[in-house]
Amino acid sequence: MSANLDFARLRSAAAPFRSRTSVPPTVLLSFLVVLVVVLWSLFPSLFTGYGPAAGNTGSKLAPPSLQHWFGTDYLGRDQFARVVYGTASSVTSALVAVAIGLLVGSAIGLASGFRGGWLDATLGRFVDVLLAIPGFLLAVVIVSSLGFQTINAAIATGVSAVAVFARLMRAEVIRVRRAAFVEASYLEGGNRLQALLTHVLPNAYRSVLVLAVLQFGTSILVIAALAFLGYGDPPPASDWGLLVASGKTYVTAPWLVYAPALVIVATVLSINRISRWLRNTK
């Protein structure tokens, strides 16, 4: 009887560890979707034998088939090939947006939370102003000033995300800065720079990286929306948002909208699922 009780206790004690280390099937599926998208952006020619620009007008607006998985557009171009080749621009621009938001926002939040005082007050007002402006509206204003290109849409999306990263980094730095082990490092003769590099940053960056993963999916969605409105690269570019905008004109060929839209939705939902899993396991 005692052996059974001991085994039950060990099993119950190990259950939380298993729940933290095991990967749910939905997360594995999300990683698979993201892997396919990454491979599309790196090696598009491995997934389709068609080019993104060349078409056959004799087979225009053909429905999805074994020959053309996503059908063809109004010029007879393979829609699947255009989606695959458009992945590189969509993913790269989203990475640029996340890098801008992560680096600039983290720097602002780190300086504000660690230094405090007048610097915290000044940077805090700047962040409040950014948060008061809707992110998508700010992105539209910035890309209108810079010019209608996908890279400018990425810059605009990154600038609109600076405030979110800054606010989270500031909160994490303040939390860690007040910890006992940081105070102990000062008593041992350490200076502020050593405390920042050896204690504050290693314990504050985890939540920010989880936010970066989530922001990557959000950036894909925002950049696709900007391209849909005409703020990205003009045709014959094959950005995902531009493909949806081009396809909505042909109501008799709904696959021109559904195919790229489903790819966008699947990618964003997969990234969001991975972000939630990382947040729960960090």
CSV table of all heavy atoms in Angstrom, one decimal, residues 116-138:
chain,number,residue,atom,x,y,z
A,116,GLY,N,15.3,55.6,-14.6
A,116,GLY,CA,14.2,56.3,-13.8
A,116,GLY,C,14.4,57.8,-13.9
A,116,GLY,O,15.1,58.3,-14.7
A,117,GLY,N,13.8,58.5,-12.9
A,117,GLY,CA,13.9,59.9,-12.8
A,117,GLY,C,13.3,60.7,-14.0
A,117,GLY,O,12.3,60.3,-14.6
A,118,TRP,N,14.0,61.7,-14.4
A,118,TRP,CA,13.5,62.6,-15.5
A,118,TRP,C,13.5,61.9,-16.8
A,118,TRP,O,12.7,62.1,-17.7
A,118,TRP,CB,14.4,63.9,-15.6
A,118,TRP,CG,15.8,63.6,-16.0
A,118,TRP,CD1,16.9,63.4,-15.1
A,118,TRP,CD2,16.3,63.5,-17.3
A,118,TRP,NE1,18.0,63.1,-15.9
A,118,TRP,CE2,17.7,63.2,-17.2
A,118,TRP,CE3,15.8,63.7,-18.6
A,118,TRP,CZ2,18.5,63.1,-18.3
A,118,TRP,CZ3,16.6,63.5,-19.7
A,118,TRP,CH2,18.0,63.2,-19.5
A,119,LEU,N,14.5,60.9,-17.0
A,119,LEU,CA,14.5,60.2,-18.2
A,119,LEU,C,13.3,59.3,-18.4
A,119,LEU,O,12.7,59.2,-19.5
A,119,LEU,CB,15.8,59.4,-18.3
A,119,LEU,CG,16.1,58.6,-19.6
A,119,LEU,CD1,16.2,59.5,-20.8
A,119,LEU,CD2,17.3,57.7,-19.5
A,120,ASP,N,12.9,58.7,-17.3
A,120,ASP,CA,11.7,57.8,-17.3
A,120,ASP,C,10.5,58.7,-17.6
A,120,ASP,O,9.6,58.2,-18.4
A,120,ASP,CB,11.6,57.1,-16.0
A,120,ASP,CG,10.4,56.2,-15.9
A,120,ASP,OD1,10.0,55.7,-17.0
A,120,ASP,OD2,9.9,55.9,-14.8
A,121,ALA,N,10.4,59.8,-17.0
A,121,ALA,CA,9.2,60.7,-17.3
A,121,ALA,C,9.2,61.2,-18.7
A,121,ALA,O,8.1,61.2,-19.3
A,121,ALA,CB,9.3,61.9,-16.3
A,122,THR,N,10.3,61.5,-19.3
A,122,THR,CA,10.4,62.0,-20.6
A,122,THR,C,10.0,61.0,-21.6
A,122,THR,O,9.2,61.1,-22.5
A,122,THR,CB,11.7,62.6,-21.0
A,122,THR,OG1,12.1,63.7,-20.0
A,122,THR,CG2,11.8,63.2,-22.4
A,123,LEU,N,10.7,59.8,-21.5
A,123,LEU,CA,10.4,58.7,-22.4
A,123,LEU,C,9.0,58.1,-22.2
A,123,LEU,O,8.4,57.7,-23.2
A,123,LEU,CB,11.5,57.6,-22.2
A,123,LEU,CG,12.9,58.0,-22.6
A,123,LEU,CD1,13.8,56.8,-22.3
A,123,LEU,CD2,13.0,58.3,-24.1
A,124,GLY,N,8.5,58.2,-21.0
A,124,GLY,CA,7.2,57.7,-20.7
A,124,GLY,C,6.1,58.6,-21.4
A,124,GLY,O,5.1,58.0,-22.0
A,125,ARG,N,6.3,59.9,-21.5
A,125,ARG,CA,5.4,60.7,-22.2
A,125,ARG,C,5.4,60.4,-23.7
A,125,ARG,O,4.4,60.5,-24.4
A,125,ARG,CB,5.7,62.2,-22.0
A,125,ARG,CG,5.7,62.7,-20.5
A,125,ARG,CD,4.3,62.6,-19.9
A,125,ARG,NE,3.9,61.2,-19.6
A,125,ARG,CZ,4.3,60.5,-18.5
A,125,ARG,NH1,5.2,61.1,-17.7
A,125,ARG,NH2,3.9,59.3,-18.2
A,126,PHE,N,6.6,60.2,-24.2
A,126,PHE,CA,6.8,59.8,-25.7
A,126,PHE,C,6.1,58.5,-26.0
A,126,PHE,O,5.3,58.4,-27.0
A,126,PHE,CB,8.3,59.7,-26.0
A,126,PHE,CG,8.5,59.2,-27.4
A,126,PHE,CD1,8.3,60.0,-28.5
A,126,PHE,CD2,9.0,57.9,-27.6
A,126,PHE,CE1,8.5,59.5,-29.8
A,126,PHE,CE2,9.3,57.4,-28.9
A,126,PHE,CZ,9.0,58.2,-30.0
A,127,VAL,N,6.2,57.5,-25.1
A,127,VAL,CA,5.5,56.3,-25.3
A,127,VAL,C,4.0,56.4,-25.2
A,127,VAL,O,3.2,55.8,-26.0
A,127,VAL,CB,6.0,55.2,-24.3
A,127,VAL,CG1,5.2,53.9,-24.4
A,127,VAL,CG2,7.5,54.9,-24.6
A,128,ASP,N,3.6,57.3,-24.3
A,128,ASP,CA,2.1,57.5,-24.1
A,128,ASP,C,1.5,58.1,-25.4
A,128,ASP,O,0.4,57.8,-25.8
A,128,ASP,CB,1.9,58.4,-22.9
A,128,ASP,CG,2.1,57.7,-21.6
A,128,ASP,OD1,2.2,56.5,-21.6
A,128,ASP,OD2,2.3,58.4,-20.6
A,129,VAL,N,2.3,59.0,-26.0
A,129,VAL,CA,1.8,59.6,-27.3
A,129,VAL,C,1.7,58.6,-28.4
A,129,VAL,O,0.7,58.5,-29.1
A,129,VAL,CB,2.8,60.8,-27.7
A,129,VAL,CG1,2.4,61.2,-29.1
A,129,VAL,CG2,2.7,61.9,-26.7
A,130,LEU,N,2.7,57.7,-28.5
A,130,LEU,CA,2.6,56.6,-29.5
A,130,LEU,C,1.4,55.7,-29.2
A,130,LEU,O,0.7,55.2,-30.1
A,130,LEU,CB,3.9,55.8,-29.5
A,130,LEU,CG,5.1,56.5,-30.1
A,130,LEU,CD1,6.3,55.6,-30.0
A,130,LEU,CD2,4.9,57.0,-31.5
A,131,LEU,N,1.2,55.4,-27.9
A,131,LEU,CA,0.1,54.5,-27.6
A,131,LEU,C,-1.3,55.1,-27.8
A,131,LEU,O,-2.3,54.4,-28.0
A,131,LEU,CB,0.2,54.1,-26.1
A,131,LEU,CG,1.3,53.1,-25.8
A,131,LEU,CD1,1.4,52.9,-24.3
A,131,LEU,CD2,1.1,51.8,-26.5
A,132,ALA,N,-1.3,56.5,-27.8
A,132,ALA,CA,-2.6,57.2,-28.0
A,132,ALA,C,-3.0,57.1,-29.4
A,132,ALA,O,-4.2,57.3,-29.7
A,132,ALA,CB,-2.5,58.6,-27.5
A,133,ILE,N,-2.1,56.9,-30.3
A,133,ILE,CA,-2.4,56.9,-31.8
A,133,ILE,C,-2.6,55.4,-32.2
A,133,ILE,O,-1.8,54.6,-31.9
A,133,ILE,CB,-1.2,57.5,-32.6
A,133,ILE,CG1,-0.9,58.9,-32.1
A,133,ILE,CG2,-1.6,57.5,-34.1
A,133,ILE,CD1,0.3,59.5,-32.8
A,134,PRO,N,-3.7,55.1,-32.8
A,134,PRO,CA,-4.0,53.7,-33.3
A,134,PRO,C,-2.8,53.3,-34.2
A,134,PRO,O,-2.3,54.0,-35.1
A,134,PRO,CB,-5.3,53.8,-34.1
A,134,PRO,CG,-6.0,55.0,-33.5
A,134,PRO,CD,-4.9,56.0,-33.1
A,135,GLY,N,-2.3,52.1,-33.9
A,135,GLY,CA,-1.1,51.6,-34.6
A,135,GLY,C,-1.3,51.5,-36.1
A,135,GLY,O,-0.4,51.9,-36.8
A,136,PHE,N,-2.4,51.1,-36.6
A,136,PHE,CA,-2.6,51.0,-38.0
A,136,PHE,C,-2.7,52.4,-38.7
A,136,PHE,O,-2.1,52.6,-39.8
A,136,PHE,CB,-3.9,50.2,-38.4
A,136,PHE,CG,-4.0,49.9,-39.8
A,136,PHE,CD1,-3.3,48.9,-40.4
A,136,PHE,CD2,-4.9,50.6,-40.6
A,136,PHE,CE1,-3.4,48.6,-41.8
A,136,PHE,CE2,-5.0,50.3,-42.0
A,136,PHE,CZ,-4.3,49.3,-42.5
A,137,LEU,N,-3.3,53.3,-38.0
A,137,LEU,CA,-3.4,54.7,-38.5
A,137,LEU,C,-2.0,55.3,-38.5
A,137,LEU,O,-1.6,56.0,-39.5
A,137,LEU,CB,-4.3,55.5,-37.6
A,137,LEU,CG,-4.4,57.0,-37.9
A,137,LEU,CD1,-5.0,57.2,-39.4
A,137,LEU,CD2,-5.3,57.7,-36.9
A,138,LEU,N,-1.2,55.1,-37.5
A,138,LEU,CA,0.2,55.6,-37.5
A,138,LEU,C,1.0,55.0,-38.6
A,138,LEU,O,1.8,55.7,-39.3
A,138,LEU,CB,0.8,55.3,-36.2
A,138,LEU,CG,2.3,55.7,-36.0
A,138,LEU,CD1,2.4,57.3,-36.1
A,138,LEU,CD2,2.8,55.3,-34.6
